[in-house]
Amino acid sequence: MTEADTLRLIVSLVFVIVLILAGMWAVRRAGWLRGAQPGAFKVVSTQSLGARAYLAMVEVEDARLVLGVTANQISLLHTLPPADPAGIPAEPAAQGFAAALGRAIKRH
């Protein structure tokens, strides 16, 4: 092997390692690693309140908990009854592109 071939091999290996690390970071950042575990809690939504504080709504068995989360503690703010899946209204985005386009054309 010549020096050029060795350099090409090293650069290729470094590129593959960087690509793997970037993929792992993206998967972790997107939250795709959170699997549905039976009997575990589920984070329904979060709302940032600042750099290191946020509100979180968590479903646990037969209740929804509203939690205040900071860097130092987690506080229970409110307990709600379980959500009724049939009572949740459909989001406008769930109606589809055709319906949104039709509404936009009617307005103009």
Side-chain angles (χ1 to χ4, degrees), residues 37-58:
Q37 301 169 351
F41 64 91
K42 177 181 172 187
V43 178
V44 177
S45 65
T46 60
Q47 175 65 47
S48 177
L49 299 176
R52 304 182 93 191
Y54 61 94
L55 292 175
M57 182 177 292
V58 179

Side-chain angles (χ1 to χ4, degrees), residues 44-88:
V44 177
S45 65
T46 60
Q47 175 65 47
S48 177
L49 299 176
R52 304 182 93 191
Y54 61 94
L55 292 175
M57 182 177 292
V58 179
E59 284 185 355
V60 180
E61 293 182 11
D62 60 345
R64 291 182 297 164
L65 308 175
V66 180
L67 304 174
V69 181
T70 65
N72 298 326
Q73 70 181 26
I74 300 172
S75 301
L76 176 63
L77 302 177
H78 193 66
T79 303
L80 300 169
D84 182 19
I88 298 174

